[in-house]
Amino acid sequence: MNPLIRIATRKSPLALWQAEYVRAQLLDHHPNLAVELVSISTRGDDTIDTSLRKIGGKGLFVKELEAALLDYHADVAVHSLKDMPMILPQGLVLGAICKRADPSDALVSNSFRSLNEMPAGSIIGSSSLRRKCQILAYHPSLVVKDLRGNVNTRLTKLDNGDYDALILASAGLERLKMNHRISDRISSKIVLPAAGQGAVAIESRADDPSTESFLRALHHHDTFRCVTAERSLVRILDGGCHSPVAAFAEHDAITHTIHLRALVGSSDGKKLLSDTLSGPMETPERIGEELAESMLSA
């Protein structure tokens, strides 16, 4: 009998794409595996008429999947890394981080090709305080209104005229073959991405070395180092402030260094603090911690 790996996943189209991607990668590297998907409803998906901030934050997209792991109903859980809390439950680990896709945010509009084209009073839909604060800092005359739901739900509201534009992750649109909906990939100089944006994470149990051995082939070391720097920064800043945080690290293969950029802002975009730090790729966690401590002191 072939070894079996059960993948816990949310039911949204993007989550299912990610789970199918991981299944295909596992089977490509381990043809004798049997891989099954275990679809699970999460509170974050079921409660779309309330701001995430009011009902518990991003962790609402992963708690039920993590419970399935801890209860041995699944062997791994697949997530968008940017949706994962910075501290994992006891007994769970990040078994693999897949190679990062485009980390940028995208402007999606039926009328405008860039933020610069949008006139004062134009309404942008986004549920992210990080995006809101940076958009308003760049273009203060825009209006950013809360918007929840999966990608298709949000696009329907745009097409119905409820919003003039949306801000969505470029990687998610690419994975759903919706590249044609992207009006502009927003420069990270205007909107710095969320920690882990564009990366698919595979969570597993710490006491399951067999599954971990299968996941090794899917692990991308350069992506892992970059997102480790980002997540260590956010972990510290989350504990010391309650403002929107952005973090993006890039790996320089020539100098073997990581260059980390970070931003903290007020939700209205009127106050922004940004800073950078570079360091050896062998110590990504320390780079994030040092930059976070420097920003907290500022």
Side-chain angles (χ1 to χ4, degrees):
M1 186 174 178
N2 293 343
L4 171 66
I5 290 184
R6 298 161 299 167
I7 299 176
T9 175
R10 294 160 56 197
K11 296 179 179 180
S12 74
L14 182 55
L16 290 171
W17 182 95
Q18 292 173 162
E20 291 286 3
Y21 169 78
V22 169
R23 171 158 65 178
Q25 290 291 307
L26 282 169
L27 293 175
D28 185 51
H29 290 284
H30 310 289
N32 294 326
L33 263 183
V35 183
E36 296 177 356
L37 300 191
V38 180
S39 297
I40 296 172
S41 294
T42 71
R43 188 181 173 201
D45 292 310
D46 294 339
T47 311
I48 63 171
D49 55 353
T50 305
S51 168
L52 283 178
R53 298 181 294 279
K54 295 180 180 179
I55 57 174
K58 288 183 177 181
L60 292 171
F61 289 119
V62 304
K63 286 182 179 178
E64 287 87 351
L65 275 63
E66 290 176 334
L69 286 180
L70 293 169
D71 291 341
Y72 292 83
H73 294 146
D75 305 298
V76 301
V78 175
H79 313 282
S80 293
L81 182 58
K82 71 181 180 67
D83 289 337
M84 297 192 69
M86 300 303 135
I87 299 175
L88 303 186
Q90 186 173 358
L92 299 181
V93 296
L94 287 175
I97 303 293
C98 301
K99 185 177 181 179
R100 190 179 220 161
D102 185 347
S104 72
D105 286 300
L107 179 76
V108 180
S109 176
N110 297 323
S111 306
F112 307 106
R113 292 174 296 178
S114 71
L115 288 170
N116 290 331
E117 284 189 9
M118 302 186 71
S122 297
I123 299 173
I124 293 181
S126 175
S127 61
S128 165
L129 282 180
R130 171 190 62 84
R131 289 168 175 158
K132 179 180 180 180
C133 83
Q134 294 183 82
I135 290 165
L136 292 179
Y138 180 74
H139 198 332
S141 61
L142 297 178
V143 177
V144 181
K145 291 189 176 181
D146 215 31
L147 174 62
R148 293 280 321 282
N150 63 39
V151 172
N152 288 321
T153 298
R154 298 186 192 201
L155 289 172
T156 297
K157 292 183 178 181
L158 172 70
D159 294 339
N160 288 341
D162 297 342
Y163 300 85
D164 297 302
L166 310 178
I167 306 294
L168 299 169
S170 297
L173 291 165
E174 288 180 349
R175 288 163 178 161
L176 294 173
K177 300 190 184 303
M178 293 182 178
N179 308 53
H180 61 284
R181 297 302 305 255
I182 297 176
S183 303
D184 185 35
R185 295 173 194 264
I186 304 172
S187 167
S188 61
K189 294 178 181 178
I190 297 173
V191 179
L192 197 65
Q197 186 158 312
V200 172
I202 309 174
E203 194 174 17
S204 58
R205 288 187 300 276
D207 65 356
D208 189 357
S210 175
T211 295
E212 183 185 0
S213 69
F214 289 120
L215 296 178
R216 260 181 228 130
L218 281 64
H219 188 62
H220 191 258
H221 292 282
D222 287 348
T223 297
F224 173 74
R225 293 184 183 107
C226 288
V227 300
T228 296
E230 295 164 11
R231 285 173 60 81
S232 64
L233 176 135
V234 175
R235 173 173 48 81
I236 291 177
L237 289 184
D238 272 354
C241 70
H242 301 284
S243 300
V245 178
F248 180 52
E250 296 176 280
H251 173 240
D252 187 328
I254 297 175
T255 61
H256 300 290
T257 57
I258 289 175
H259 180 63
L260 176 62
R261 289 183 285 156
L263 178 144
V264 180
S266 60
S267 58
D268 59 9
K270 293 181 179 179
K271 294 181 181 179
L272 292 181
L273 172 66
S274 60
D275 206 347
T276 64
L277 183 66
S278 298
M281 66 179 187
E282 294 83 6
T283 59
E285 189 166 8
R286 189 60 203 148
I287 295 169
E289 291 170 349
E290 288 182 4
L291 184 53
E293 289 161 1
S294 173
M295 295 180 76
L296 280 176
S297 66

